[in-house]
Amino acid sequence: MKRFCTLFFLTFGLLLLLSIGISAETRTATFYNGETAVKTVTLDGEGSLTLATAPNMGTKKFIGWAVTRNGTETLHPEGSVFNDADGIGNLSFHAVGIGLKTLDGAAVTYASPTVLRFDGAVDLSDYSRLTALVGAENITTGVLIAPYSQVSITPLKLTTASVLNRVSDGFLYSTRTLRVFSGSTDTIPDDHLLEKYCGRAYLSVTFGGQTLTVYADYDIEKHIRSAHGVTAAAFEDRFSTSDATHTVPAACGCYSRYSADRLNALQARLDKVIYVSMAGTGKVESKYSMDNFDFKEFNTAHYTSPYRVERFLSDEPHGYDTYVITGVNGTDFNTVTAYFVGGSYFGVANRAAEWKSDGIYISVINSTP
């Protein structure tokens, strides 16, 4: 009996030691978003785990989870399986994101061919960290561009049909905090000067055996522009006194950032568009719009439309009122290629029959029964 007790206690003691040893080898992985731990999990017996889903990184776009093992930091996609069978100790994963945005507005060429340019930007420090993790050769930046009419409902993504994918071949410029890249439309014909285009920046990164694409937030007011609207804004960009960018004296007694030749080229494009008001018997107003929803008036010291409503034909033809547009002081009205009327815009290509020898005949439905 004495021997049996001794054997029992020796066996029990050995099991206890084994139990303590196994418990001590249990390993965990903690996921951090900044300094905040968002999740802690236990590795399985083979040292594997499925990485956590993306945390909310606020204005940044989540890319993946970074972990350091044996002095090397690597990046891994959310939901992927991470294996650390030969490792020891607990694991710490840190969320890696990138500041990505489409810059407000657009730029336009001052002379033909007419082209709109949309710019995107990445946070410089975020981009440097991502480059260190995966290599610059595995990162692509670009801008997606499409006519608003084609993507007003469908999200502007790489999978969207009829979208221009402008992959940047480098950075346009850098600031202390940003690296800026760009993408441009194809040549915009004159009868599409009022067509709205939208742009959206994106970044693609290849790592962990897959390619992830993230998109900048999209804002209908900030990221939709027409060539006419941007041209008008550039033409109107004048200050009463000179500064670091507005150094060129303009005819209005103010200062522009553009030379006289460039202002003349911009004005020539403005002269291709008219805004017809249907108030009363109608009139031509000097207005422009960035998005074709909200309109601004030109400073008359800068620009006044060279066209007018010469005649108003009530109920002619039947069911329509017709505004006959001609030039002021002999200005050639055939220069016009597109117009606003009644809150809508049109190009010559679809309404060529309106252009006659004595004026542009713009007809709109009236309320006559």
Side-chain angles (χ1 to χ4, degrees), residues 287-368:
K287 291 185 176 181
Y288 67 97
S289 175
M290 292 295 175
D291 55 12
N292 297 347
F293 294 117
D294 298 317
F295 289 85
K296 299 179 180 180
E297 293 188 3
F298 282 98
N299 184 323
T300 55
H302 304 163
Y303 180 80
T304 301
S305 176
Y307 310 103
R308 64 178 179 174
V309 174
E310 183 176 88
R311 285 177 289 151
F312 172 67
L313 308 178
S314 179
D315 200 30
E316 184 180 330
H318 181 67
Y320 291 82
D321 290 332
T322 299
Y323 304 90
V324 182
I325 310 300
T326 61
V328 175
N329 298 325
T331 300
D332 184 7
F333 59 82
N334 289 296
T335 302
V336 175
T337 61
Y339 61 78
F340 287 107
V341 63
S344 299
Y345 62 93
F346 305 90
V348 176
N350 298 324
R351 305 173 71 90
E354 297 175 341
W355 268 249
K356 300 184 180 185
S357 61
D358 63 339
I360 306 171
Y361 284 65
I362 299 176
S363 298
V364 296
I365 296 175
N366 63 27
S367 57
T368 302

Side-chain angles (χ1 to χ4, degrees), residues 101 103-104 107 117-122 124 168 170-182:
K101 61 182 178 180
L103 299 186
D104 295 357
R117 189 193 79 209
F118 292 89
D119 296 340
V122 290
L124 181 57
S168 60
F171 289 98
L172 191 63
Y173 62 89
S174 297
T175 69
R176 290 183 300 171
T177 59
L178 299 175
R179 300 200 79 173
V180 179
F181 52 94
S182 66

Side-chain angles (χ1 to χ4, degrees), residues 8-328:
F8 171 81
F9 285 118
L10 286 173
T11 303
F12 176 79
L14 181 60
L15 289 173
L16 182 61
L17 288 174
L18 286 173
S19 175
I20 293 173
I22 293 173
S23 177
E25 292 177 0
T26 299
R27 302 169 61 202
T28 62
T30 301
F31 297 85
Y32 292 90
N33 182 9
E35 300 298 322
T36 303
V38 295
K39 187 176 184 180
T40 298
V41 298
T42 301
L43 279 68
D44 64 20
E46 297 180 352
S48 296
L49 76 156
T50 299
L51 301 190
T53 57
N56 182 353
M57 298 191 74
T59 58
K60 293 188 179 184
K61 307 300 178 183
F62 175 81
I63 302 297
W65 295 105
V67 62
T68 300
R69 302 304 288 166
N70 301 319
T72 301
E73 188 177 33
T74 54
L75 187 66
H76 306 270
E78 65 168 326
S80 62
V81 175
F82 182 83
N83 188 289
D84 192 44
D86 298 327
I88 58 174
N90 298 326
L91 300 174
S92 295
F93 290 88
H94 296 270
V96 174
I98 193 158
L100 173 68
K101 61 182 178 180
T102 308
L103 299 186
D104 295 357
V108 69
T109 51
Y110 64 87
S112 296
T114 302
V115 173
L116 278 175
R117 189 193 79 209
F118 292 89
D119 296 340
V122 290
D123 180 274
L124 181 57
S125 60
D126 292 344
Y127 183 80
S128 297
R129 173 158 168 70
L130 187 58
T131 299
L133 285 168
V134 303
E137 68 278 8
N138 290 311
I139 304 173
T140 298
T141 55
V143 180
L144 303 179
I145 303 172
Y148 176 71
S149 59
Q150 296 181 17
V151 293
S152 56
I153 299 175
T154 306
L156 188 57
K157 293 188 176 182
L158 285 171
T159 55
T160 308
S162 303
V163 171
L164 298 175
N165 176 16
R166 301 310 199 196
V167 178
S168 60
D169 57 4
F171 289 98
L172 191 63
Y173 62 89
S174 297
T175 69
R176 290 183 300 171
T177 59
L178 299 175
R179 300 200 79 173
V180 179
F181 52 94
S182 66
S184 299
T185 64
D186 292 332
T187 297
I188 299 172
D190 287 345
D191 62 318
H192 281 65
L193 289 177
L194 299 180
E195 180 75 54
K196 295 178 292 183
Y197 292 84
C198 49
R200 189 180 193 186
Y202 73 90
L203 178 142
S204 293
V205 54
T206 300
F207 68 108
Q210 69 179 45
T211 298
L212 171 71
T213 299
V214 291
Y215 300 90
D217 293 342
Y218 175 73
D219 187 298
I220 192 171
E221 293 183 359
K222 298 176 180 178
H223 305 139
I224 293 179
R225 292 292 185 268
S226 71
H228 179 260
V230 179
T231 298
F235 193 79
E236 285 283 83
D237 183 17
R238 309 185 193 194
F239 284 1
S240 58
T241 58
S242 62
D243 63 11
T245 56
H246 300 77
T247 60
V248 182
C252 60
C254 48
Y255 293 85
S256 171
R257 66 176 70 215
Y258 304 108
S259 66
D261 288 344
R262 293 189 176 187
L263 287 175
N264 289 337
L266 292 173
Q267 181 170 336
R269 185 182 296 140
L270 296 179
D271 288 345
K272 295 178 181 181
V273 172
I274 56 174
Y275 179 98
V276 180
S277 168
M278 295 189 298
T281 57
K283 63 178 180 178
V284 172
E285 298 183 2
S286 299
K287 291 185 176 181
Y288 67 97
S289 175
M290 292 295 175
D291 55 12
N292 297 347
F293 294 117
D294 298 317
F295 289 85
K296 299 179 180 180
E297 293 188 3
F298 282 98
N299 184 323
T300 55
H302 304 163
Y303 180 80
T304 301
S305 176
Y307 310 103
R308 64 178 179 174
V309 174
E310 183 176 88
R311 285 177 289 151
F312 172 67
L313 308 178
S314 179
D315 200 30
E316 184 180 330
H318 181 67
Y320 291 82
D321 290 332
T322 299
Y323 304 90
V324 182
I325 310 300
T326 61
V328 175

